[in-house]
């Protein structure tokens, strides 16, 4: 009986054991085979620690493929706090190498996170510092690959290009505006640790590479940019101005070819500069009363509306009385009797007040808006200003008179340049742009910038008259100092009074500017330059900025391969005591050295030995300034 009962109990125990084992085995199989896809990722997430790895940010090129913002390999420090046994000692060691307060490092090490960057002190450290950290073999401290921006041209285009923050995102300029294109996709180095942060050696770590950002190709031509900047740097050395704004655009497309803001800053060390310097791209941000460069609009509007013709006579006594207010011309005593072509050549304020009066407020404002004043141009850069226009309701006769010659309204250099381009390119107002292409590292094109015409503002016939008039300004008027032998440069000077804190105009403190376009028979480039408060010089745009733009134009047109045209160029009217005469270069090639007679007008410099002339510079038919040099090459 007892034996039978014992056998039953054993059988029951075996059944229970088999059932339990079967349930356990079934559960194990269910977990292993059925729930594997759910549980394994959770376990992987619990054990894995991802150390972030950055790839290269997109490169920024100029229009010809020259790198203007690149990348350099860098090394950064990342820590896994749970793996660090002696945090106090580790913090002091790292602080000593990274040259910072160890308490700040200790704060990073005490954070309850799996992985932590040491930033900014540990981001993009020097190779020497990285080697020192690696050699110490500190628990939980890792050196990971990183990248940093490099600027081959230093401060060139700094406000336009902008800069990146410590995390690699763009904070200003093109870096900010096109950050989504430029930024790279993040990668990581994954390692496995237990709950205490100890590395699980039986688990295989893996590396997920980061994806590179897209590359930008700008409309900027770095050679033209360098030409303009070199001239500006010479002007800064000569005149010590408060600020300088330079802008060069393609007349046919609206592309930005060069853009400069002075004072400069170094984008690799932007923290050392004030916000006013690093965040203000002056050609698109700074709005001021433009002065006489604005007269291009008034003149074009008057021609388009048939309010005068170029040969019509006008008398300038040196002032004009408007609603009882006497408004003076810039030239004491006035210009006397002149044609309306001479009105723009001489930048005669009373003449422009006459044009403004003939147009009337309604028509004048129609052209203000048509030429794009009072609105943003739409350039693909951050920080653009729309300027300030006098409310049309408040524009009486006096306001109309002063607006007609460039006072009262505030405009940006970019607005002024796009408006001038519209006046000479056949009458089309263009949207300026700076991004030409977006490409991947495999050269796949994602975006292409294109010419955009906003509207027609004047007829082609009026535009042709404007080209002639502006060329006359440079050949015979206030812009003579921008004249370039062989290149048909047109333009307009500007001497803008600045407003003080009390609301009145300052004395002996002007923004001097020149708006140049060339060649006027087929305009290619427009160049605007404004120098704010130059020192130790007569403050007139024709004296300071016109010759600077002339230098930029001559070098730029030569670089672009545009041939000189001595035949059709309007001859320069030389003012006695003010302008230097030019003389045509004779053909010396093939002559004997002894047969070349000395000249009172220019000098000969001989290169080489022998008697036969085999080459010369300048070439025959070109012109040289009085007192200039002709280089003669001998055989």
């Amino acid at each position: 009986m007892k034996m039978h009962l014992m056998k039953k109990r054993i059988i029951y125990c075996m059944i229970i054991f088999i059932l339990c084992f079967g349930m356990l085995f079934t559960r194990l199989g269910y977990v292993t085979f059925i729930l594997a896809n759910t549980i394994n990722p959770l376990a992987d997430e619990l054990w894995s620690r991802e150390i972030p790895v950055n790839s290269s940010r997109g490169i920024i090129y100029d229009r010809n493929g020259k790198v203007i913002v690149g990348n350099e390999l860098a090394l950064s420090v990342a820590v896994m706090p749970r793996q660090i046994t002696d945090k106090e000692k580790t913090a002091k060691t790292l602080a000593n190498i990274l040259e910072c307060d160890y308490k700040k490092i200790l704060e990073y090490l005490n954070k309850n996170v799996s992985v932590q960057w040491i930033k900014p002190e540990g981001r993009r450290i020097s190779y020497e510092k990285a080697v020192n950290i690696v050699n110490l073999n500190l628990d939980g401290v890792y050196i990971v690959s990183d990248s940093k921006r490099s600027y081959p041209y230093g401060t060139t285009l700094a406000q336009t290009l902008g800069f990146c923050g410590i995390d690699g995102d763009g904070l200003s300029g093109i870096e900010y505006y096109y950050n989504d294109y430029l930024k790279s996709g993040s990668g990581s180095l994954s390692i496995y640790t237990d709950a205490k942060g100890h590395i699980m050696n039986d688990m295989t770590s893996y590396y997920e590479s980061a994806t590179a950002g897209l590359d930008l190709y700008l409309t900027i031509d770095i050679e033209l940019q360098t030409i303009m900047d070199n001239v500006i740097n010479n002007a800064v050395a000569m005149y010590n101005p408060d600020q300088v704004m330079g802008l060069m655009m393609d007349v046919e497309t609206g592309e930005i070819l060069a853009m400069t803001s002075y004072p400069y800053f170094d984008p690799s060390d932007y923290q050392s500069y004030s916000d006013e310097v690093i965040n203000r791209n002056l050609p698109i941000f700074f709005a001021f009363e433009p002065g006489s460069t604005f007269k291009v609009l008034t003149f074009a509007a008057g021609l388009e509306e048939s309010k005068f013709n170029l040969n019509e006579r006008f008398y300038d006594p040196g002032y004009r009385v408007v609603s009882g207010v006497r408004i003076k011309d810039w030239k004491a005593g006035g210009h006397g009797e002149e044609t309306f072509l001479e009105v723009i050549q001489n930048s005669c304020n009373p003449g422009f007040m006459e044009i403004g009066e003939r147009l009337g407020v309604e028509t004048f404002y129609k052209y203000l808006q048509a030429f794009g004043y009072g609105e943003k141009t739409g350039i693909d850069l951050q920080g653009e200003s729309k300027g300030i226009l006098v409310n049309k309701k408040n524009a009486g006769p006096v306001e109309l008179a002063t607006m007609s010659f460039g006072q009262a309204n505030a405009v940006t250099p970019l607005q002024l340049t796009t408006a001038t381009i519209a006046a000479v390119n056949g009458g089309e107002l263009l949207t300026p742009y700076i991004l030409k292409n977006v490409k991947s590292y495999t050269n796949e094109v994602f975006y292409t910038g294109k010419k955009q015409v906003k509207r027609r503002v004047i007829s082609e016939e009026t535009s042709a008259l404007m080209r002639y008039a502006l060329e006359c300004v440079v050949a015979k008027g206030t812009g003579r100092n921008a004249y370039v032998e062989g290149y048909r440069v047109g333009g307009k000077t500007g001497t803008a009074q600045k407003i003080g804190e009390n609301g009145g105009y300052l004395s002996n403190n002007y923004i001097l500017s020149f708006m140049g376009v060339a060649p006027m028979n087929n305009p290619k480039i427009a160049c605007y330059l404004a120098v704010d408060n130059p020192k130790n010089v007569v403050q007139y745009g024709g004296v300071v900025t016109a010759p600077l733009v002339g230098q930029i134009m001559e070098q730029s047109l030569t670089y672009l391969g545009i041939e000189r045209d001595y035949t059709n160029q309007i001859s320069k009217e030389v003012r006695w005591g003010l302008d230097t005469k030019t003389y045509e270069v004779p053909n010396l090639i093939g002559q004997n050295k002894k047969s070349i007679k000395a000249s009172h007008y220019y000098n000969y410099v001989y290169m080489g030995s022998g008697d036969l002339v085999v080459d010369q510079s300048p070439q025959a038919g070109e012109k040289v300034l009085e007192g200039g040099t002709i280089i003669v090459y001998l055989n």
Side-chain angles (χ1 to χ4, degrees), residues 167-461:
D167 291 320
D169 284 326
L171 299 181
S172 74
I174 288 171
E175 294 276 25
Y176 172 81
Y177 196 91
Y178 286 114
N179 188 61
D180 288 344
Y181 283 140
L182 290 165
K183 68 180 180 181
S184 62
S186 59
S188 63
L189 172 63
S190 294
I191 62 175
Y192 292 90
T193 66
D194 59 22
K196 294 184 178 181
H198 300 133
I199 294 178
M200 301 168 66
N201 294 319
D202 57 335
M203 300 289 287
T204 302
S205 300
Y206 64 90
Y207 174 78
E208 182 180 351
S209 62
T211 57
L214 298 175
D215 297 331
L216 303 187
Y217 288 76
L218 305 184
T219 59
I220 295 289
D221 188 322
I222 198 64
E223 297 302 324
L224 293 177
Q225 180 74 45
T226 302
I227 288 170
M228 187 170 73
D229 284 354
N230 287 341
V231 172
I232 288 175
N233 291 337
N234 290 336
V236 169
M238 290 174 60
Y239 303 127
N240 188 27
D242 295 342
Q243 53 189 11
V244 180
M245 295 150 274
L247 179 64
M248 201 180 300
M249 289 179 62
D250 187 310
V251 175
E252 297 176 338
T253 64
E255 294 174 318
I256 303 296
L257 301 174
M259 183 178 284
T260 298
S261 292
Y262 172 84
Y264 310 124
F265 78 93
D266 182 357
S268 63
D269 185 31
Y270 66 90
Q271 302 94 330
S272 300
Y273 299 83
S274 68
D275 289 342
E276 289 187 356
V277 172
I278 65 178
N279 289 326
R280 294 182 177 180
N281 191 359
L282 297 176
I284 69 171
F285 167 81
F286 190 62
F288 58 97
E289 293 186 8
S292 296
T293 49
F294 180 85
K295 292 173 180 175
V296 171
L297 176 144
T298 307
F299 205 77
L303 285 174
E304 181 72 8
E305 294 293 322
S306 300
K307 299 300 181 181
F308 66 92
N309 64 66
L310 296 182
N311 296 318
E312 183 182 345
R313 311 296 294 181
F314 173 82
Y315 183 78
D316 169 28
Y319 63 90
R320 188 177 181 88
V321 178
V322 181
S323 295
V325 178
R326 182 186 175 102
I327 304 175
K328 296 180 181 179
D329 190 11
W330 66 269
K331 182 181 179 182
H335 297 90
E337 189 171 344
E338 57 188 348
T339 65
F340 270 97
L341 177 59
E342 292 170 326
V343 164
I344 192 170
Q345 287 177 193
N346 298 328
S347 197
C348 172
N349 289 345
F352 281 91
M353 286 186 268
E354 174 69 19
I355 297 172
E357 183 178 317
R358 294 184 186 185
L359 286 169
V361 171
E362 287 294 331
T363 303
F364 186 81
Y365 269 81
K366 181 184 78 171
Y367 282 94
L368 268 180
Q369 295 166 354
F371 275 95
Y373 291 115
E375 66 178 19
K376 295 182 179 180
T377 66
I379 190 173
D380 48 337
L381 285 172
Q382 69 166 157
E384 183 183 10
S385 170
K386 66 177 183 179
I388 303 172
L389 298 185
V390 173
N391 191 315
K392 187 166 68 171
K393 296 179 181 178
N394 301 326
V398 174
E399 288 75 21
L400 178 60
T402 56
M403 285 190 292
S404 67
F405 61 82
Q407 289 187 350
N409 293 321
V411 305
T412 67
L414 183 61
Q415 287 177 322
L416 196 64
T417 306
T418 54
T420 303
I421 286 174
V424 299
N425 72 356
E428 294 180 335
L429 184 70
L430 306 178
T431 299
Y433 64 99
I434 198 168
L435 181 62
K436 194 170 185 67
N437 293 114
V438 178
K439 298 181 181 180
S440 68
Y441 69 95
T442 60
N443 222 30
E444 181 181 358
V445 179
F446 286 84
Y447 171 86
T448 299
K450 296 179 180 178
K451 172 183 176 180
Q452 298 181 53
V453 179
K454 284 186 176 180
R455 54 186 168 267
R456 174 168 292 280
V457 293
I458 57 175
S459 66
E460 292 186 3
E461 293 76 15

Side-chain angles (χ1 to χ4, degrees), residues 15-28:
I15 292 172
I16 293 172
F17 178 78
I18 292 171
L19 289 173
C20 290
F21 183 79
M23 292 173 63
L24 182 62
F25 185 79
T26 302
R27 179 62 181 172
L28 182 61

